[in-house]
Amino acid sequence: MPLTNFGAVLNFAEKVEQEDVEFYRKASSTAAAEPCRLLFEMFAREGKKHLSLVQRTRRENVTEMILEPIRDFVRDSYRQSTADPEGLDRSAILAAAVVLENRAIRYYTDAAEKIRALPEVSRALKTLAKKRTKRLGQIEKLSA
């Protein structure tokens, strides 16, 4: 399904954040190692802040959302079935987290590029991509 306007791009960003918060919330209660549990709890809290940023960006830029059409941007390439962390071992949970973070980074980077005509929105999406890149690095440290 195409993401053809500002609202659709931010609605999908909101969905990504909600799904990831749920994954990290569940993972924090099932992760075997303490460092993972603490990291996933932190990611769940950060995800709520990311969700607030997406919602605030939509509210603050609502007047521009009607004016800027978006072309050639389809959500299907960013859909990711979220693994249920229950019953997974530490390495499988970390691998699923890497997939989620890479998906989010790719989505936010691509969305920022597609919505360049709205600099404040593009900047917010780039910020989310940077935050997710930092999280990816933290996950990769634990995986090593």
Side-chain angles (χ1 to χ4, degrees), residues 47-65:
K48 290 176 185 177
K49 291 177 185 177
H50 295 172
L51 183 58
S52 294
L53 174 62
V54 170
Q55 292 168 338
R56 185 176 63 246
T57 300
R58 179 187 303 119
R59 277 192 313 273
E60 291 174 357
N61 295 281
V62 72
T63 55
E64 288 89 1
M65 72 184 225

Side-chain angles (χ1 to χ4, degrees), residues 78-141:
Y78 305 101
R79 287 187 189 264
Q80 186 68 44
S81 60
T82 309
D84 186 357
E86 303 237 357
L88 296 179
D89 65 5
R90 178 179 181 256
S91 62
I93 292 172
L94 289 170
V98 166
V99 169
L100 292 178
E101 293 304 320
N102 279 321
R103 181 261 322 244
I105 292 165
R106 195 168 41 88
Y107 178 72
Y108 289 132
T109 301
D110 294 349
E113 183 65 28
K114 290 288 184 181
I115 208 156
R116 278 189 315 216
L118 301 171
E120 291 175 25
V121 177
S122 181
R123 190 171 24 260
L125 294 170
K126 287 177 186 175
T127 297
L128 288 168
K130 286 179 186 174
K131 289 180 180 195
R132 290 301 196 105
T133 300
K134 180 181 174 192
R135 283 168 46 160
L136 181 61
Q138 292 172 302
I139 293 168
E140 289 172 344
K141 281 182 185 176

Side-chain angles (χ1 to χ4, degrees), residues 3-13 58 65-66 70 115:
L3 298 164
T4 58
N5 60 42
F6 168 88
V9 168
L10 291 181
N11 282 340
F12 190 70
R58 179 187 303 119
M65 72 184 225
I66 299 169
I70 298 172
I115 208 156

